């Protein structure tokens, strides 16, 4: 029975993606909005998971790439009239370049210093952008898509980054890089003497994470229409991603999927109690950490003994 | 015979302790060089220097004629220096198979497809075929020791450094591990072998290097080295402290 379910997993997943693909045809605007948010948060969280769950990089500065991706789309659409999806891609490219620049400084740091280093960069960017005439200081910028695009298009872009992020991390884990990551996770020093290029592997993941986070943020800001430094570079972003990954199951591919669903569901339900919604989310996170420290999917995998999207070699 | 490795005035200090102290010796291609010395003599530190885990304070290491003293551990592994750890350090949450695959793909530079074939050969050699899918963290000591051997071998080494690979095993288990080491040597792989059991060194090693307190004592024919006054004094001196 278990085996039958396992063997049919690709069909089930394909069917699921197909159903999600026809959501825009269903005509339910709320469902469309809900699924879009789900995909965007999934992509952002999957990247934080790639760093924290697989590469040993605890980043508290993913908002640097959220802000960069959003601002690149805003600037490109506003000042240069660049084709909107090209702008999204450029947002990813600029985020990766920012990541490369950051790495010159923070990759000398380890553990908590790395975390703080990434955070400091975000704060510096916040100050920079809120004092920069080019980006209209703290007032922010509108995003003027060229050409005008529909909600359906934004939805499909979200679907691509959401599903794409899962496929990407799955692909990484099945590759040479991923094999090295899993060895590093168990014992970094030993993996190095077995030929794993630890520094390079971490850098690749950091840059991939920056690229996907930046482009995802671009799509998110096209939907939001408006970008301001105080929101774009706020640590709230990373806090949300940590929440999603922790409750879903860090270091599992399925964790961020479940986590993102729970998060979007909760944050939408709690939207009217905005002031307490963060408190409730925090309480849930603590509860999950106490009851099931491996998160929902991590605990299920342990109990049931199989992973749906397994990076294991046989 | 050609020297595959030449160590020249190598020194590593920890604070005021000279763990490895101006050590000079060479390893000849194809030989088994035994390394002996009392506990704390600096044997493991020497391996950590050779594999790049530690940077030397002084001196240099020539491998196949190239100065590798400042290369990263990963680079040295890919050049063909494999090692085992005195206290086995397998990747606990990976299976036996995956442990070997890491060595073959990263250290050995093989494609995953080719690595799989290589890993099967090694599993046969180390006798862990029946445990390919076991998590390495769940293995008993003997299996962890042979997995150490297998993983080092998977990196396709020309020189392999064994750190007390038979240490802590029963005589019967040690014999099994020795058999594997002998087969590795027969493949033409050069071996530097730290072991506490001196009889094993006397029989297994082509030459023996004796060190004490990080310093060179004697190097040469195993039986002569063991019976030399310097070594006996060095041992007794260190053991008394
Ligand atoms: N990382 C380290 N920091 C401080 N001292 C160390 C370190 N590694 C080894 N030592 C010291 O160096 C000496 C040699 O240790 P080691 O090379 O492990 O000896 P052996 O393997 O010959 O028993 C010992 O006195 C040990 O305490
Ligand atoms: Mg030792």
């Amino acid at each position: 029975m278990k085996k039958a379910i396992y063997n049919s997993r690709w069909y089930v997943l394909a069917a699921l993606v197909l159903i999600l693909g026809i959501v825009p045809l269903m005509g339910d605007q709320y469902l469309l909005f809900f699924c879009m948010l789900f995909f965007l948060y999934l992509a952002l969280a999957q990247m934080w998971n790639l760093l924290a769950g697989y590469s040993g990089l605890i980043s508290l500065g993913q908002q640097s790439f959220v802000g960069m991706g959003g601002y690149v789309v805003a600037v490109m659409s506003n000042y240069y009239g660049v084709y909107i999806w090209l702008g999204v891609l450029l947002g990813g490219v600029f985020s990766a370049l920012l990541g490369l620049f950051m790495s010159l400084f923070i990759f000398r740091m380890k553990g908590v210093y790395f975390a703080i280093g990434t955070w400091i960069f975000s704060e510096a960017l916040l100050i920079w952008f809120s004092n920069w005439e080019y980006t209209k200081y703290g007032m922010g910028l509108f995003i003027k898509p060229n050409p005008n695009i529909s909600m359906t298009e934004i939805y499909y872009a979200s679907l691509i980054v959401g599903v794409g992020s899962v496929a990407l991390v799955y692909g990484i884990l099945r590759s040479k890089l991923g094999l090295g990551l899993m060895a590093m996770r168990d014992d970094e020093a030993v993996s190095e003497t077995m030929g794993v290029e630890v520094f390079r592997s971490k850098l690749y993941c950091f840059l991939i994470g920056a690229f996907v986070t930046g482009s995802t943020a671009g799509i998110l800001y096209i939907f939001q229409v408006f970008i301001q430094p105080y929101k774009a570079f706020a640590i709230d972003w990373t806090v949300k991603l940590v929440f999603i990954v922790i409750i879903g199951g860090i270091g599992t591919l399925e964790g961020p999927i479940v986590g993102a669903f729970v998060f979007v569901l909760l944050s939408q339900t709690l939207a009217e109690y905005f002031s307490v919604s963060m408190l409730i989310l925090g309480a849930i996170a603590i509860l999950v950490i106490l009851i099931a420290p491996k998160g929902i999917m991590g605990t299920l995998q342990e109990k049931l003994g199989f992973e749906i999207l397994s990076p294991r070699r046989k | 015979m050609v020297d595959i490795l030449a160590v020249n005035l190598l020194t590593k200090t920890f604070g005021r302790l000279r763990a490895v102290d101006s050590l000079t010796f060479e390893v000849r291609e194809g030989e088994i060089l035994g390394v002996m010395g009392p506990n704390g003599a600096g044997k493991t530190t020497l391996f950590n220097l050779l594999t790049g885990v530690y940077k030397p304070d002084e001196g240099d290491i020539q491998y196949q004629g190239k100065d590798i003293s400042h290369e990263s551990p990963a680079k040295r592994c890919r050049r063909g220096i494999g090692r085992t750890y005195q206290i086995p350090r397998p990747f606990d949450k990976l299976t036996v198979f995956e442990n070997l695959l890491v060595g073959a793909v990263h250290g050995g530079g093989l494609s995953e497809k080719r690595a799989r074939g290589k890993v099967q050969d090694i599993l046969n050699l180390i006798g862990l075929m029946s445990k390919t899918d076991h998590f390495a963290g769940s293995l008993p000591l003997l299996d962890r020791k042979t997995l150490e051997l297998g993983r080092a071998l998977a990196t396709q080494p020309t020189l392999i450094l064994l750190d007390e690979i038979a240490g802590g095993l029963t005589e019967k288990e040690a014999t099994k591990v020795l058999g594997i080491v002998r087969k590795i040597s027969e493949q033409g792989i050069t071996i530097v072998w730290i072991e506490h059991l001196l009889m094993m060194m006397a029989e297994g090693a082509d030459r023996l290097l004796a060190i004490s307190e990080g310093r060179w004592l004697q190097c040469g024919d195993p039986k002569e080295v063991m019976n030399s006054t310097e070594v006996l004094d060095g041992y007794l001196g260190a053991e008394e402290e």
Side-chain angles (χ1 to χ4, degrees), chain B residues 157-212:
Chain B
T158 40
L159 169 67
I160 211 166
L161 312 176
L162 306 178
D163 196 349
E164 301 198 23
I165 194 70
L169 298 179
T170 65
E171 206 172 312
K172 204 173 143 212
E173 291 171 334
T175 313
K176 190 185 163 198
V177 170
L178 289 192
I180 302 170
V181 173
R182 202 152 287 140
K183 279 186 192 146
I184 293 173
S185 175
E186 278 161 14
Q187 293 181 12
I189 296 171
T190 310
I191 296 175
V192 179
W193 186 3
I194 296 171
E195 202 64 71
H196 237 77
L197 305 167
L198 293 182
M199 287 329 291
M200 206 174 268
M201 292 278 96
E203 285 167 30
D206 297 309
R207 292 190 309 140
L208 190 56
L209 167 70
I211 62 174
S212 178

Side-chain angles (χ1 to χ4, degrees), chain B residues 39-40 42-45 86 163-164 194:
Chain B
N39 258 329
K43 305 180 296 293
T44 299
T45 304
Q86 183 174 347
D163 196 349
E164 301 198 23
I194 296 171

Side-chain angles (χ1 to χ4, degrees), chain A residues 186 193 197 312-314, chain B residues 78 85 93 98 106 116:
Chain A
D186 269 5
T193 58
E197 291 284 0
R312 296 228 88 92
R313 265 80 168 178
K314 282 216 160 68
Chain B
R78 282 201 308 277
Y85 287 87
K93 294 190 195 80
E98 288 167 336
H106 283 269
R116 283 170 177 274

Side-chain angles (χ1 to χ4, degrees), chain A residues 174-177 179-180 182-184 186-187 189-197 200 311-314, chain B residues 53 73-74 77-78 83 85 89 91-95 97-98 101-102 105-107 112 116 135 151 155:
Chain A
R174 303 287 318 192
S175 73
K176 177 177 177 177
L177 174 60
L179 186 63
M182 283 184 282
M184 277 162 54
D186 269 5
D187 195 325
V190 172
S191 73
E192 255 187 309
T193 58
M194 295 301 148
V196 178
E197 291 284 0
R200 204 179 301 165
R312 296 228 88 92
R313 265 80 168 178
K314 282 216 160 68
Chain B
V53 174
C77 176
R78 282 201 308 277
R83 78 171 287 179
Y85 287 87
R89 287 169 71 176
F91 303 121
D92 282 343
K93 294 190 195 80
L94 300 190
T95 62
F97 183 77
E98 288 167 336
L101 203 63
V102 171
V105 168
H106 283 269
E112 194 165 320
R116 283 170 177 274
F135 286 109
R151 194 173 53 173
T155 66

Side-chain angles (χ1 to χ4, degrees), chain A:
Chain A
M1 176 61 189
K2 222 152 105 176
K3 206 163 169 83
I5 297 173
Y6 186 73
N7 287 336
S8 61
R9 70 197 192 283
W10 293 119
Y11 300 105
V12 176
L13 286 172
L16 217 70
V17 173
L18 214 74
I19 292 170
L20 288 164
I22 58 168
V23 165
L25 308 178
M26 296 176 187
D28 184 337
Q29 283 306 306
Y30 181 73
L31 183 67
L32 193 67
F33 165 74
F34 185 96
C35 292
M36 179 202 73
L37 273 189
F38 163 73
F39 284 129
L40 293 173
Y41 275 107
L42 168 58
L44 297 176
Q46 193 65 273
M47 290 305 114
W48 193 79
N49 185 38
L50 173 64
L51 301 187
Y54 290 104
S55 320
L57 295 171
I58 311 288
S59 162
L60 292 180
Q62 294 305 93
Q63 63 274 22
S64 294
F65 310 124
V66 172
M68 179 56 83
Y71 265 105
V72 168
V73 165
V75 165
M76 291 293 164
S77 71
N78 248 298
Y79 297 162
Y80 304 102
V82 171
Y83 178 58
I84 193 72
W85 301 121
L86 178 63
V88 167
L89 217 59
L90 286 174
V93 171
F94 273 88
S95 293
L97 289 175
L98 172 65
L100 194 63
F101 177 70
M102 283 167 70
S103 73
L104 297 176
F105 305 90
I106 57 175
F107 266 64
R108 294 161 203 264
M109 308 174 183
K110 290 223 182 313
V112 68
Y113 297 100
F114 177 88
I116 293 169
T118 55
W119 189 2
I120 288 173
F121 255 97
S122 302
E123 294 298 311
L125 283 166
L126 195 166
I127 293 169
W128 177 276
F129 273 81
S130 50
N131 287 291
W132 199 12
E133 189 193 347
Y134 185 65
T135 58
K136 299 261 162 54
Y137 307 108
M139 290 177 302
L141 285 170
F142 276 99
I143 291 150
K144 298 172 182 152
N146 163 41
N148 239 325
I149 51 175
S150 67
M151 181 63 198
T152 305
E153 281 173 275
I154 300 177
Y155 176 82
Y156 281 121
S158 312
L159 186 139
I160 290 170
V161 290
V163 175
S165 71
V166 180
L168 177 66
V169 175
Y170 181 72
I172 289 173
L173 294 181
R174 303 287 318 192
S175 73
K176 177 177 177 177
L177 174 60
L179 186 63
L181 290 179
M182 283 184 282
M184 277 162 54
R185 198 157 63 148
D186 269 5
D187 195 325
E188 205 169 293
V190 172
S191 73
E192 255 187 309
T193 58
M194 295 301 148
V196 178
E197 291 284 0
V198 170
F199 181 90
R200 204 179 301 165
S201 304
K202 289 187 176 196
L203 184 61
Y204 286 162
C205 291
F206 190 64
L207 298 183
I208 291 168
F211 177 82
V212 175
T213 303
S215 1
T216 304
I219 300 168
L220 200 134
Y221 274 106
I222 293 173
F223 173 75
Q224 296 210 338
V225 186
F226 185 60
I227 185 165
Q228 269 186 316
Y230 303 105
K231 285 233 164 112
F233 293 105
I235 185 134
D236 301 31
W237 287 109
T238 301
V239 172
K240 288 174 190 169
L241 305 184
V242 173
F243 173 87
I244 292 171
V245 174
I246 297 280
I247 67 157
I250 189 166
T252 68
L253 268 164
E254 304 88 342
I257 304 177
V258 174
F261 180 76
V262 172
F263 171 76
V264 175
L265 189 67
L266 283 174
S267 60
Q268 288 312 307
T269 326
L270 295 173
E272 18 185 337
Y273 318 102
F274 181 76
S275 50
V276 289
S277 74
M278 278 312 238
L279 278 178
I280 296 173
L281 289 179
I284 291 172
I286 290 168
L287 220 68
V288 169
I289 289 169
L290 289 176
I291 298 170
K294 292 185 172 165
I296 297 169
M297 287 320 282
T299 307
L300 277 179
Q301 280 173 9
E302 215 171 53
K303 293 253 155 70
L304 301 177
F306 74 81
E307 300 164 67
I308 302 164
L309 292 166
S310 173
R312 296 228 88 92
R313 265 80 168 178
K314 282 216 160 68

